[in-house]
Amino acid sequence: QLQLVESGGGLVQVGGSLRLSCKASRSISDIAYMGWYRQAPGKERELVAGVTDDGRTNYKRSVEGRFTISRDNTNATLTLQMNTLQLGDTGVYFCKAIGSDIWWGQGTQVTVSS
């Protein structure tokens, strides 16, 4: 079993930065893939950024160059550094882990205001 707890969301102005963290309840060394997803009001949940167990990353095109995903197996933590935030980045951000099963966190709200 695995529990994921996100933190770091909040209200920020356009152009600002936030750092999201996802803390796992146990070691993530057996987790093949971890990702950050977001869900805006009235929209489907979508992948924002992901990282494999060997460090390969992938990003939604609209966040490339602004967001950075990182994974710390020692501390069982997944991080998303978000810079130059835009109105379209608003949503609930979820952490996801894929290993022997699929696990989701409860989400953290990010609101970007003008």
Side-chain angles (χ1 to χ4, degrees), residues 14-81:
V14 169
S17 297
L18 283 174
R19 186 177 181 88
L20 305 184
S21 292
C22 171
K23 178 66 176 175
S25 59
R26 63 162 178 78
S27 170
I28 57 173
S29 59
D30 64 325
I31 301 300
Y33 185 85
M34 297 191 76
W36 285 99
Y37 291 70
R38 73 182 175 206
Q39 188 164 19
K43 294 189 176 181
E44 301 272 322
R45 193 174 297 188
E46 60 180 1
L47 174 67
V48 174
V51 58
T52 64
D53 54 359
D54 60 356
R56 287 172 292 137
T57 59
N58 62 295
Y59 294 92
K60 179 180 173 61
R61 183 163 295 184
S62 64
V63 308
E64 284 183 347
R66 300 189 295 121
F67 290 12
T68 303
I69 189 170
S70 59
R71 170 177 177 159
D72 183 346
N73 285 349
T74 300
N75 294 304
T77 301
L78 182 72
T79 300
L80 185 68
Q81 177 66 42

Side-chain angles (χ1 to χ4, degrees), residues 93-113:
Y93 283 69
F94 297 88
C95 175
K96 178 181 181 180
I98 301 175
S100 60
D101 203 339
I102 297 174
W103 299 272
W104 289 93
Q106 83 289 346
T108 186
Q109 176 71 46
V110 171
T111 302
V112 183
S113 69

